[in-house]
Amino acid sequence: MIDLKGKRGLVVGVANGASIAAGCARAFRAAGAELALTFLNEKARPWVEPVAQEVGAPLFLPCDVREPGQLEAVFDRITAEWGRLDFLLHAIAFAPREDLHTSVVNASAEGFATAMDISCHSFLRMARLARPLMQAGGSLITVSFYGADRVVENYNLMGPVKAALEASVRYAAADLAGEGIRAFSLSTGPVKTRAASGIDRFDALMDKIRARTPAGKLVSIEEIGTLAAFLATEAASPMSGSVVYADNGFHTTA
Ligand code: NAD
């Protein structure tokens, strides 16, 4: 149904096969795209490599957005190998544990800045680096959560960070619209991943959200991936700048 044949995409954020980015990478590949995948560091590499092999990624590169020059090196390789890029998925987030596990008013300035840099500003850096490679237009997709819209218990610091991310997407979409480059926040329901295990009482949050979701079930990384693949197509252009919810309707309930 979704055709990404001949398209090339960058996927940043696979920690292992259960990552939201892994579900997206599989869906992009199933739609025919060729992919570049990144891994955080050598410790993470063995967990990410099977996913890179599964989707036949010809480019598999290290990328810690906090390491000076690493993100730029990823785009340099893409420029050298492909000369262009059609879409990218930014699916990364981090907050220091002590700042995530306290109320927002208690979070340190340093923890706040770190969380914003890794989880939000890195999206804008990727957009800037992708821009010259997207001469024929393209899609920039990031992953958000309902904690950006409303206070969600224990989401704490990541709430304001995701709100800033969604606002950054709106502004990037406006900045780049004239070049045919689209930007989306894909706001997903809760998924049991490595990053999610950093949220206090995440299992209880999943139960609570499941109970409030009209269909009574949570979203899978396969379903999120299919929606991400659609956002990578030109058919999604009229939605540029939007928050697209992949949460089985959870956000629509009171
Ligand atoms: P995950 O642990 O599988 O992925 C998080 C990724 O962030 C990892 O691959 C990790 O390497 C990467 N990362 C952290 N610091 C980094 C850095 N300095 N440089 C580069 N990469 C770095 O967890 P996930 O849940 O799949 O998270 C992906 C995205 O989805 C995150 O933005 C997360 O906030 C968002 N999200 C998750 C949920 C959920 O319930 N799991 C819900 C909504 C949104």
Side-chain angles (χ1 to χ4, degrees), residues 12-16 18-21 40 63-66 90-94 118 143-145 155 158 162 188-196 202:
V12 181
V14 177
N16 52 45
S19 294
I20 289 173
L40 181 63
C63 181
D64 179 339
V65 297
R66 292 288 266 184
H90 169 281
I92 69 175
F94 175 81
I118 296 177
V143 189
S144 190
F145 182 60
Y155 203 57
M158 287 313 292
K162 290 299 191 191
T188 83
V191 181
K192 221 171 160 66
T193 61
R194 266 257 305 280
F202 188 73

PDB file of all heavy atoms in Angstrom, residues 12-16 18-21 40 63-66 90-94 118 143-145 155 158 162 188-196 202, ligand 1:
ATOM      1  N   VAL A  12      17.529   7.053  13.127  1.00  0.00           N
ATOM      2  CA  VAL A  12      18.354   7.260  14.322  1.00  0.00           C
ATOM      3  C   VAL A  12      17.498   6.930  15.544  1.00  0.00           C
ATOM      4  O   VAL A  12      16.436   7.525  15.736  1.00  0.00           O
ATOM      5  CB  VAL A  12      18.855   8.724  14.407  1.00  0.00           C
ATOM      6  CG1 VAL A  12      19.734   8.926  15.641  1.00  0.00           C
ATOM      7  CG2 VAL A  12      19.628   9.107  13.150  1.00  0.00           C
ATOM      8  N   GLY A  13      17.936   5.967  16.342  1.00  0.00           N
ATOM      9  CA  GLY A  13      17.185   5.672  17.572  1.00  0.00           C
ATOM     10  C   GLY A  13      16.890   4.204  17.809  1.00  0.00           C
ATOM     11  O   GLY A  13      16.125   3.875  18.709  1.00  0.00           O
ATOM     12  N   VAL A  14      17.503   3.319  17.015  1.00  0.00           N
ATOM     13  CA  VAL A  14      17.322   1.895  17.317  1.00  0.00           C
ATOM     14  C   VAL A  14      18.259   1.540  18.478  1.00  0.00           C
ATOM     15  O   VAL A  14      19.473   1.713  18.379  1.00  0.00           O
ATOM     16  CB  VAL A  14      17.641   0.991  16.100  1.00  0.00           C
ATOM     17  CG1 VAL A  14      17.508  -0.480  16.492  1.00  0.00           C
ATOM     18  CG2 VAL A  14      16.737   1.328  14.921  1.00  0.00           C
ATOM     19  N   ALA A  15      17.672   1.055  19.594  1.00  0.00           N
ATOM     20  CA  ALA A  15      18.482   0.531  20.704  1.00  0.00           C
ATOM     21  C   ALA A  15      18.530  -0.986  20.610  1.00  0.00           C
ATOM     22  O   ALA A  15      19.548  -1.602  20.899  1.00  0.00           O
ATOM     23  CB  ALA A  15      17.896   0.956  22.046  1.00  0.00           C
ATOM     24  N   ASN A  16      17.401  -1.561  20.161  1.00  0.00           N
ATOM     25  CA  ASN A  16      17.290  -3.019  19.991  1.00  0.00           C
ATOM     26  C   ASN A  16      16.045  -3.308  19.138  1.00  0.00           C
ATOM     27  O   ASN A  16      15.395  -2.366  18.662  1.00  0.00           O
ATOM     28  CB  ASN A  16      17.208  -3.708  21.366  1.00  0.00           C
ATOM     29  CG  ASN A  16      16.115  -3.108  22.233  1.00  0.00           C
ATOM     30  OD1 ASN A  16      15.004  -2.875  21.757  1.00  0.00           O
ATOM     31  ND2 ASN A  16      16.417  -2.841  23.487  1.00  0.00           N
ATOM     32  N   ALA A  18      13.155  -4.078  19.883  1.00  0.00           N
ATOM     33  CA  ALA A  18      11.875  -3.634  20.433  1.00  0.00           C
ATOM     34  C   ALA A  18      11.692  -2.120  20.368  1.00  0.00           C
ATOM     35  O   ALA A  18      10.658  -1.590  20.783  1.00  0.00           O
ATOM     36  CB  ALA A  18      11.761  -4.097  21.887  1.00  0.00           C
ATOM     37  N   SER A  19      12.700  -1.396  19.864  1.00  0.00           N
ATOM     38  CA  SER A  19      12.629   0.072  19.778  1.00  0.00           C
ATOM     39  C   SER A  19      11.544   0.507  18.799  1.00  0.00           C
ATOM     40  O   SER A  19      11.292  -0.167  17.785  1.00  0.00           O
ATOM     41  CB  SER A  19      13.956   0.640  19.251  1.00  0.00           C
ATOM     42  OG  SER A  19      14.999   0.426  20.153  1.00  0.00           O
ATOM     43  N   ILE A  20      10.964   1.660  19.080  1.00  0.00           N
ATOM     44  CA  ILE A  20      10.005   2.243  18.130  1.00  0.00           C
ATOM     45  C   ILE A  20      10.699   2.427  16.777  1.00  0.00           C
ATOM     46  O   ILE A  20      10.116   2.134  15.728  1.00  0.00           O
ATOM     47  CB  ILE A  20       9.462   3.583  18.685  1.00  0.00           C
ATOM     48  CG1 ILE A  20       8.533   3.288  19.877  1.00  0.00           C
ATOM     49  CG2 ILE A  20       8.735   4.377  17.598  1.00  0.00           C
ATOM     50  CD1 ILE A  20       8.051   4.513  20.637  1.00  0.00           C
ATOM     51  N   ALA A  21      11.959   2.860  16.804  1.00  0.00           N
ATOM     52  CA  ALA A  21      12.701   3.047  15.547  1.00  0.00           C
ATOM     53  C   ALA A  21      12.888   1.732  14.789  1.00  0.00           C
ATOM     54  O   ALA A  21      12.961   1.728  13.560  1.00  0.00           O
ATOM     55  CB  ALA A  21      14.057   3.689  15.832  1.00  0.00           C
ATOM     56  N   LEU A  40      24.336   3.906  19.023  1.00  0.00           N
ATOM     57  CA  LEU A  40      24.822   4.929  19.954  1.00  0.00           C
ATOM     58  C   LEU A  40      26.330   4.849  20.173  1.00  0.00           C
ATOM     59  O   LEU A  40      27.025   5.857  20.120  1.00  0.00           O
ATOM     60  CB  LEU A  40      24.086   4.804  21.296  1.00  0.00           C
ATOM     61  CG  LEU A  40      24.450   5.807  22.374  1.00  0.00           C
ATOM     62  CD1 LEU A  40      24.100   7.231  21.953  1.00  0.00           C
ATOM     63  CD2 LEU A  40      23.755   5.469  23.693  1.00  0.00           C
ATOM     64  N   CYS A  63      26.505   6.994  16.097  1.00  0.00           N
ATOM     65  CA  CYS A  63      25.978   8.346  16.267  1.00  0.00           C
ATOM     66  C   CYS A  63      25.494   8.591  17.686  1.00  0.00           C
ATOM     67  O   CYS A  63      24.414   8.174  18.070  1.00  0.00           O
ATOM     68  CB  CYS A  63      24.838   8.623  15.280  1.00  0.00           C
ATOM     69  SG  CYS A  63      24.209  10.299  15.449  1.00  0.00           S
ATOM     70  N   ASP A  64      26.337   9.268  18.432  1.00  0.00           N
ATOM     71  CA  ASP A  64      25.917   9.831  19.723  1.00  0.00           C
ATOM     72  C   ASP A  64      25.847  11.324  19.472  1.00  0.00           C
ATOM     73  O   ASP A  64      26.886  11.956  19.201  1.00  0.00           O
ATOM     74  CB  ASP A  64      26.957   9.480  20.804  1.00  0.00           C
ATOM     75  CG  ASP A  64      26.591  10.059  22.174  1.00  0.00           C
ATOM     76  OD1 ASP A  64      25.808  11.028  22.239  1.00  0.00           O
ATOM     77  OD2 ASP A  64      27.112   9.542  23.178  1.00  0.00           O
ATOM     78  N   VAL A  65      24.652  11.901  19.537  1.00  0.00           N
ATOM     79  CA  VAL A  65      24.514  13.324  19.179  1.00  0.00           C
ATOM     80  C   VAL A  65      25.274  14.246  20.140  1.00  0.00           C
ATOM     81  O   VAL A  65      25.444  15.427  19.847  1.00  0.00           O
ATOM     82  CB  VAL A  65      23.022  13.759  19.076  1.00  0.00           C
ATOM     83  CG1 VAL A  65      22.317  13.001  17.968  1.00  0.00           C
ATOM     84  CG2 VAL A  65      22.289  13.607  20.404  1.00  0.00           C
ATOM     85  N   ARG A  66      25.733  13.701  21.277  1.00  0.00           N
ATOM     86  CA  ARG A  66      26.514  14.492  22.226  1.00  0.00           C
ATOM     87  C   ARG A  66      28.004  14.491  21.867  1.00  0.00           C
ATOM     88  O   ARG A  66      28.776  15.278  22.434  1.00  0.00           O
ATOM     89  CB  ARG A  66      26.361  13.938  23.643  1.00  0.00           C
ATOM     90  CG  ARG A  66      24.984  14.128  24.205  1.00  0.00           C
ATOM     91  CD  ARG A  66      24.700  15.569  24.559  1.00  0.00           C
ATOM     92  NE  ARG A  66      24.998  15.846  25.941  1.00  0.00           N
ATOM     93  CZ  ARG A  66      24.784  17.004  26.550  1.00  0.00           C
ATOM     94  NH1 ARG A  66      24.279  18.010  25.870  1.00  0.00           N
ATOM     95  NH2 ARG A  66      25.067  17.165  27.810  1.00  0.00           N
ATOM     96  N   HIS A  90      13.881  10.623  13.574  1.00  0.00           N
ATOM     97  CA  HIS A  90      14.588  10.999  14.809  1.00  0.00           C
ATOM     98  C   HIS A  90      13.789  10.363  15.935  1.00  0.00           C
ATOM     99  O   HIS A  90      12.662  10.787  16.220  1.00  0.00           O
ATOM    100  CB  HIS A  90      14.596  12.525  14.886  1.00  0.00           C
ATOM    101  CG  HIS A  90      15.037  13.110  16.195  1.00  0.00           C
ATOM    102  ND1 HIS A  90      14.221  13.189  17.308  1.00  0.00           N
ATOM    103  CD2 HIS A  90      16.218  13.685  16.568  1.00  0.00           C
ATOM    104  CE1 HIS A  90      14.872  13.777  18.294  1.00  0.00           C
ATOM    105  NE2 HIS A  90      16.076  14.091  17.878  1.00  0.00           N
ATOM    106  N   ALA A  91      14.330   9.321  16.549  1.00  0.00           N
ATOM    107  CA  ALA A  91      13.594   8.608  17.614  1.00  0.00           C
ATOM    108  C   ALA A  91      14.514   8.442  18.810  1.00  0.00           C
ATOM    109  O   ALA A  91      14.807   7.323  19.231  1.00  0.00           O
ATOM    110  CB  ALA A  91      13.089   7.259  17.109  1.00  0.00           C
ATOM    111  N   ILE A  92      14.992   9.567  19.327  1.00  0.00           N
ATOM    112  CA  ILE A  92      15.927   9.515  20.455  1.00  0.00           C
ATOM    113  C   ILE A  92      15.467  10.449  21.570  1.00  0.00           C
ATOM    114  O   ILE A  92      14.876  11.502  21.320  1.00  0.00           O
ATOM    115  CB  ILE A  92      17.382   9.846  20.036  1.00  0.00           C
ATOM    116  CG1 ILE A  92      17.541  11.313  19.640  1.00  0.00           C
ATOM    117  CG2 ILE A  92      17.819   8.956  18.895  1.00  0.00           C
ATOM    118  CD1 ILE A  92      18.972  11.706  19.346  1.00  0.00           C
ATOM    119  N   ALA A  93      15.735  10.028  22.770  1.00  0.00           N
ATOM    120  CA  ALA A  93      15.413  10.848  23.934  1.00  0.00           C
ATOM    121  C   ALA A  93      16.291  10.407  25.096  1.00  0.00           C
ATOM    122  O   ALA A  93      16.664   9.240  25.192  1.00  0.00           O
ATOM    123  CB  ALA A  93      13.942  10.684  24.305  1.00  0.00           C
ATOM    124  N   PHE A  94      16.586  11.371  25.938  1.00  0.00           N
ATOM    125  CA  PHE A  94      17.362  11.068  27.145  1.00  0.00           C
ATOM    126  C   PHE A  94      17.158  12.187  28.165  1.00  0.00           C
ATOM    127  O   PHE A  94      17.087  13.360  27.797  1.00  0.00           O
ATOM    128  CB  PHE A  94      18.866  10.953  26.825  1.00  0.00           C
ATOM    129  CG  PHE A  94      19.709  10.753  28.055  1.00  0.00           C
ATOM    130  CD1 PHE A  94      19.836   9.488  28.617  1.00  0.00           C
ATOM    131  CD2 PHE A  94      20.334  11.838  28.680  1.00  0.00           C
ATOM    132  CE1 PHE A  94      20.578   9.301  29.786  1.00  0.00           C
ATOM    133  CE2 PHE A  94      21.080  11.654  29.847  1.00  0.00           C
ATOM    134  CZ  PHE A  94      21.201  10.383  30.397  1.00  0.00           C
ATOM    135  N   ILE A 118      19.652  16.562  23.745  1.00  0.00           N
ATOM    136  CA  ILE A 118      19.612  15.235  23.115  1.00  0.00           C
ATOM    137  C   ILE A 118      18.243  14.952  22.486  1.00  0.00           C
ATOM    138  O   ILE A 118      18.160  14.401  21.387  1.00  0.00           O
ATOM    139  CB  ILE A 118      19.967  14.138  24.149  1.00  0.00           C
ATOM    140  CG1 ILE A 118      21.415  14.318  24.620  1.00  0.00           C
ATOM    141  CG2 ILE A 118      19.742  12.736  23.573  1.00  0.00           C
ATOM    142  CD1 ILE A 118      21.861  13.334  25.698  1.00  0.00           C
ATOM    143  N   VAL A 143       9.516  11.507  17.180  1.00  0.00           N
ATOM    144  CA  VAL A 143       8.560  10.726  17.974  1.00  0.00           C
ATOM    145  C   VAL A 143       8.287  11.443  19.290  1.00  0.00           C
ATOM    146  O   VAL A 143       9.224  11.796  20.017  1.00  0.00           O
ATOM    147  CB  VAL A 143       9.088   9.296  18.234  1.00  0.00           C
ATOM    148  CG1 VAL A 143       7.997   8.443  18.855  1.00  0.00           C
ATOM    149  CG2 VAL A 143       9.587   8.651  16.945  1.00  0.00           C
ATOM    150  N   SER A 144       7.004  11.660  19.566  1.00  0.00           N
ATOM    151  CA  SER A 144       6.621  12.405  20.755  1.00  0.00           C
ATOM    152  C   SER A 144       5.635  11.600  21.602  1.00  0.00           C
ATOM    153  O   SER A 144       5.360  10.429  21.316  1.00  0.00           O
ATOM    154  CB  SER A 144       6.023  13.761  20.333  1.00  0.00           C
ATOM    155  OG  SER A 144       5.854  14.587  21.465  1.00  0.00           O
ATOM    156  N   PHE A 145       5.124  12.241  22.638  1.00  0.00           N
ATOM    157  CA  PHE A 145       4.187  11.575  23.561  1.00  0.00           C
ATOM    158  C   PHE A 145       3.194  12.609  24.087  1.00  0.00           C
ATOM    159  O   PHE A 145       3.499  13.804  24.174  1.00  0.00           O
ATOM    160  CB  PHE A 145       4.972  10.930  24.720  1.00  0.00           C
ATOM    161  CG  PHE A 145       4.104  10.186  25.698  1.00  0.00           C
ATOM    162  CD1 PHE A 145       3.332   9.109  25.280  1.00  0.00           C
ATOM    163  CD2 PHE A 145       4.048  10.561  27.043  1.00  0.00           C
ATOM    164  CE1 PHE A 145       2.522   8.430  26.191  1.00  0.00           C
ATOM    165  CE2 PHE A 145       3.246   9.889  27.950  1.00  0.00           C
ATOM    166  CZ  PHE A 145       2.477   8.819  27.517  1.00  0.00           C
ATOM    167  N   TYR A 155       5.850  11.528  33.998  1.00  0.00           N
ATOM    168  CA  TYR A 155       6.545  11.868  32.744  1.00  0.00           C
ATOM    169  C   TYR A 155       7.495  13.048  32.994  1.00  0.00           C
ATOM    170  O   TYR A 155       8.497  13.209  32.292  1.00  0.00           O
ATOM    171  CB  TYR A 155       5.545  12.158  31.630  1.00  0.00           C
ATOM    172  CG  TYR A 155       6.127  11.981  30.247  1.00  0.00           C
ATOM    173  CD1 TYR A 155       6.692  10.772  29.855  1.00  0.00           C
ATOM    174  CD2 TYR A 155       6.142  13.026  29.331  1.00  0.00           C
ATOM    175  CE1 TYR A 155       7.254  10.608  28.597  1.00  0.00           C
ATOM    176  CE2 TYR A 155       6.696  12.868  28.066  1.00  0.00           C
ATOM    177  CZ  TYR A 155       7.247  11.660  27.706  1.00  0.00           C
ATOM    178  OH  TYR A 155       7.797  11.505  26.455  1.00  0.00           O
ATOM    179  N   MET A 158      10.299  15.144  30.799  1.00  0.00           N
ATOM    180  CA  MET A 158      10.127  14.873  29.378  1.00  0.00           C
ATOM    181  C   MET A 158       8.893  15.578  28.807  1.00  0.00           C
ATOM    182  O   MET A 158       8.796  15.743  27.590  1.00  0.00           O
ATOM    183  CB  MET A 158      10.047  13.362  29.106  1.00  0.00           C
ATOM    184  CG  MET A 158      11.381  12.632  29.233  1.00  0.00           C
ATOM    185  SD  MET A 158      12.761  13.436  28.374  1.00  0.00           S
ATOM    186  CE  MET A 158      12.285  13.230  26.671  1.00  0.00           C
ATOM    187  N   LYS A 162       9.201  17.353  25.291  1.00  0.00           N
ATOM    188  CA  LYS A 162       8.409  16.930  24.120  1.00  0.00           C
ATOM    189  C   LYS A 162       7.564  18.091  23.584  1.00  0.00           C
ATOM    190  O   LYS A 162       7.354  18.198  22.373  1.00  0.00           O
ATOM    191  CB  LYS A 162       7.516  15.740  24.473  1.00  0.00           C
ATOM    192  CG  LYS A 162       8.269  14.430  24.724  1.00  0.00           C
ATOM    193  CD  LYS A 162       9.060  13.953  23.504  1.00  0.00           C
ATOM    194  CE  LYS A 162       9.571  12.528  23.695  1.00  0.00           C
ATOM    195  NZ  LYS A 162      10.536  12.133  22.655  1.00  0.00           N
ATOM    196  N   THR A 188       3.093   8.807  19.909  1.00  0.00           N
ATOM    197  CA  THR A 188       2.650   7.417  20.039  1.00  0.00           C
ATOM    198  C   THR A 188       2.156   7.114  21.455  1.00  0.00           C
ATOM    199  O   THR A 188       2.538   7.781  22.418  1.00  0.00           O
ATOM    200  CB  THR A 188       3.789   6.428  19.700  1.00  0.00           C
ATOM    201  OG1 THR A 188       4.612   6.241  20.855  1.00  0.00           O
ATOM    202  CG2 THR A 188       4.628   6.906  18.543  1.00  0.00           C
ATOM    203  N   GLY A 189       1.339   6.105  21.533  1.00  0.00           N
ATOM    204  CA  GLY A 189       0.952   5.582  22.831  1.00  0.00           C
ATOM    205  C   GLY A 189       2.158   4.924  23.485  1.00  0.00           C
ATOM    206  O   GLY A 189       3.221   4.790  22.862  1.00  0.00           O
ATOM    207  N   PRO A 190       2.028   4.502  24.756  1.00  0.00           N
ATOM    208  CA  PRO A 190       3.174   3.916  25.458  1.00  0.00           C
ATOM    209  C   PRO A 190       3.570   2.554  24.906  1.00  0.00           C
ATOM    210  O   PRO A 190       2.713   1.754  24.539  1.00  0.00           O
ATOM    211  CB  PRO A 190       2.675   3.790  26.900  1.00  0.00           C
ATOM    212  CG  PRO A 190       1.205   3.755  26.808  1.00  0.00           C
ATOM    213  CD  PRO A 190       0.823   4.557  25.596  1.00  0.00           C
ATOM    214  N   VAL A 191       4.875   2.344  24.815  1.00  0.00           N
ATOM    215  CA  VAL A 191       5.437   1.084  24.308  1.00  0.00           C
ATOM    216  C   VAL A 191       6.549   0.677  25.271  1.00  0.00           C
ATOM    217  O   VAL A 191       7.353   1.524  25.688  1.00  0.00           O
ATOM    218  CB  VAL A 191       6.052   1.284  22.894  1.00  0.00           C
ATOM    219  CG1 VAL A 191       6.612  -0.026  22.361  1.00  0.00           C
ATOM    220  CG2 VAL A 191       5.039   1.872  21.925  1.00  0.00           C
ATOM    221  N   LYS A 192       6.607  -0.599  25.602  1.00  0.00           N
ATOM    222  CA  LYS A 192       7.636  -1.064  26.547  1.00  0.00           C
ATOM    223  C   LYS A 192       8.990  -1.132  25.834  1.00  0.00           C
ATOM    224  O   LYS A 192       9.263  -2.066  25.084  1.00  0.00           O
ATOM    225  CB  LYS A 192       7.247  -2.449  27.068  1.00  0.00           C
ATOM    226  CG  LYS A 192       7.510  -2.632  28.535  1.00  0.00           C
ATOM    227  CD  LYS A 192       6.898  -3.928  29.017  1.00  0.00           C
ATOM    228  CE  LYS A 192       7.494  -4.401  30.300  1.00  0.00           C
ATOM    229  NZ  LYS A 192       7.238  -3.563  31.443  1.00  0.00           N
ATOM    230  N   THR A 193       9.811  -0.130  26.053  1.00  0.00           N
ATOM    231  CA  THR A 193      11.141  -0.071  25.427  1.00  0.00           C
ATOM    232  C   THR A 193      12.172   0.234  26.507  1.00  0.00           C
ATOM    233  O   THR A 193      11.818   0.518  27.653  1.00  0.00           O
ATOM    234  CB  THR A 193      11.199   1.063  24.377  1.00  0.00           C
ATOM    235  OG1 THR A 193      10.952   2.300  25.056  1.00  0.00           O
ATOM    236  CG2 THR A 193      10.194   0.883  23.258  1.00  0.00           C
ATOM    237  N   ARG A 194      13.431   0.241  26.097  1.00  0.00           N
ATOM    238  CA  ARG A 194      14.511   0.577  27.030  1.00  0.00           C
ATOM    239  C   ARG A 194      14.306   1.976  27.609  1.00  0.00           C
ATOM    240  O   ARG A 194      14.369   2.170  28.827  1.00  0.00           O
ATOM    241  CB  ARG A 194      15.850   0.533  26.297  1.00  0.00           C
ATOM    242  CG  ARG A 194      16.578  -0.788  26.389  1.00  0.00           C
ATOM    243  CD  ARG A 194      17.726  -0.756  27.394  1.00  0.00           C
ATOM    244  NE  ARG A 194      18.674   0.325  27.122  1.00  0.00           N
ATOM    245  CZ  ARG A 194      19.623   0.284  26.202  1.00  0.00           C
ATOM    246  NH1 ARG A 194      19.797  -0.792  25.466  1.00  0.00           N
ATOM    247  NH2 ARG A 194      20.440   1.297  26.025  1.00  0.00           N
ATOM    248  N   ALA A 195      14.063   2.958  26.741  1.00  0.00           N
ATOM    249  CA  ALA A 195      13.891   4.336  27.214  1.00  0.00           C
ATOM    250  C   ALA A 195      12.698   4.431  28.160  1.00  0.00           C
ATOM    251  O   ALA A 195      12.760   5.117  29.186  1.00  0.00           O
ATOM    252  CB  ALA A 195      13.712   5.279  26.028  1.00  0.00           C
ATOM    253  N   ALA A 196      11.623   3.724  27.828  1.00  0.00           N
ATOM    254  CA  ALA A 196      10.410   3.796  28.649  1.00  0.00           C
ATOM    255  C   ALA A 196      10.652   3.243  30.048  1.00  0.00           C
ATOM    256  O   ALA A 196      10.030   3.701  31.012  1.00  0.00           O
ATOM    257  CB  ALA A 196       9.275   3.035  27.971  1.00  0.00           C
ATOM    258  N   PHE A 202       6.218   2.799  34.940  1.00  0.00           N
ATOM    259  CA  PHE A 202       5.762   2.811  33.544  1.00  0.00           C
ATOM    260  C   PHE A 202       4.685   1.750  33.291  1.00  0.00           C
ATOM    261  O   PHE A 202       3.748   1.982  32.526  1.00  0.00           O
ATOM    262  CB  PHE A 202       6.954   2.622  32.594  1.00  0.00           C
ATOM    263  CG  PHE A 202       6.587   2.825  31.157  1.00  0.00           C
ATOM    264  CD1 PHE A 202       6.330   4.089  30.654  1.00  0.00           C
ATOM    265  CD2 PHE A 202       6.464   1.749  30.291  1.00  0.00           C
ATOM    266  CE1 PHE A 202       5.973   4.292  29.330  1.00  0.00           C
ATOM    267  CE2 PHE A 202       6.107   1.935  28.963  1.00  0.00           C
ATOM    268  CZ  PHE A 202       5.868   3.208  28.483  1.00  0.00           C
TER     269      PHE A 202
HETATM  270  P1  NAD B   1      14.597   3.100  22.918  1.00  0.00           P
HETATM  271  O1  NAD B   1      15.334   2.986  24.204  1.00  0.00           O
HETATM  272  O2  NAD B   1      14.401   1.878  22.133  1.00  0.00           O
HETATM  273  O3  NAD B   1      15.245   4.227  21.985  1.00  0.00           O
HETATM  274  C1  NAD B   1      15.797   5.417  22.520  1.00  0.00           C
HETATM  275  C2  NAD B   1      16.993   5.732  21.672  1.00  0.00           C
HETATM  276  O4  NAD B   1      17.556   6.997  22.041  1.00  0.00           O
HETATM  277  C3  NAD B   1      18.102   4.694  21.807  1.00  0.00           C
HETATM  278  O5  NAD B   1      18.389   4.115  20.555  1.00  0.00           O
HETATM  279  C4  NAD B   1      19.284   5.492  22.317  1.00  0.00           C
HETATM  280  O6  NAD B   1      20.523   5.035  21.814  1.00  0.00           O
HETATM  281  C5  NAD B   1      18.940   6.868  21.760  1.00  0.00           C
HETATM  282  N1  NAD B   1      19.750   7.918  22.369  1.00  0.00           N
HETATM  283  C6  NAD B   1      19.789   8.306  23.666  1.00  0.00           C
HETATM  284  N2  NAD B   1      20.752   9.226  23.835  1.00  0.00           N
HETATM  285  C7  NAD B   1      21.319   9.430  22.620  1.00  0.00           C
HETATM  286  C8  NAD B   1      22.382  10.239  22.141  1.00  0.00           C
HETATM  287  N3  NAD B   1      23.089  11.046  22.949  1.00  0.00           N
HETATM  288  N4  NAD B   1      22.692  10.198  20.816  1.00  0.00           N
HETATM  289  C9  NAD B   1      22.009   9.390  19.975  1.00  0.00           C
HETATM  290  N5  NAD B   1      21.024   8.583  20.367  1.00  0.00           N
HETATM  291  C10 NAD B   1      20.678   8.597  21.681  1.00  0.00           C
HETATM  292  O7  NAD B   1      13.179   3.727  23.320  1.00  0.00           O
HETATM  293  P2  NAD B   1      11.933   4.233  22.433  1.00  0.00           P
HETATM  294  O8  NAD B   1      10.798   4.247  23.386  1.00  0.00           O
HETATM  295  O9  NAD B   1      11.830   3.462  21.171  1.00  0.00           O
HETATM  296  O10 NAD B   1      12.306   5.747  22.155  1.00  0.00           O
HETATM  297  C11 NAD B   1      12.302   6.329  20.868  1.00  0.00           C
HETATM  298  C12 NAD B   1      11.587   7.672  20.904  1.00  0.00           C
HETATM  299  O11 NAD B   1      10.198   7.428  21.118  1.00  0.00           O
HETATM  300  C13 NAD B   1      12.029   8.606  22.040  1.00  0.00           C
HETATM  301  O12 NAD B   1      12.048   9.928  21.537  1.00  0.00           O
HETATM  302  C14 NAD B   1      10.908   8.456  23.042  1.00  0.00           C
HETATM  303  O13 NAD B   1      10.774   9.578  23.893  1.00  0.00           O
HETATM  304  C15 NAD B   1       9.736   8.331  22.105  1.00  0.00           C
HETATM  305  N6  NAD B   1       8.500   7.807  22.673  1.00  0.00           N
HETATM  306  C16 NAD B   1       8.505   6.634  23.361  1.00  0.00           C
HETATM  307  C17 NAD B   1       7.318   6.159  23.883  1.00  0.00           C
HETATM  308  C18 NAD B   1       7.288   4.879  24.651  1.00  0.00           C
HETATM  309  O14 NAD B   1       6.294   4.639  25.354  1.00  0.00           O
HETATM  310  N7  NAD B   1       8.287   4.019  24.547  1.00  0.00           N
HETATM  311  C19 NAD B   1       6.114   6.864  23.698  1.00  0.00           C
HETATM  312  C20 NAD B   1       6.146   8.044  22.974  1.00  0.00           C
HETATM  313  C21 NAD B   1       7.355   8.528  22.475  1.00  0.00           C
END
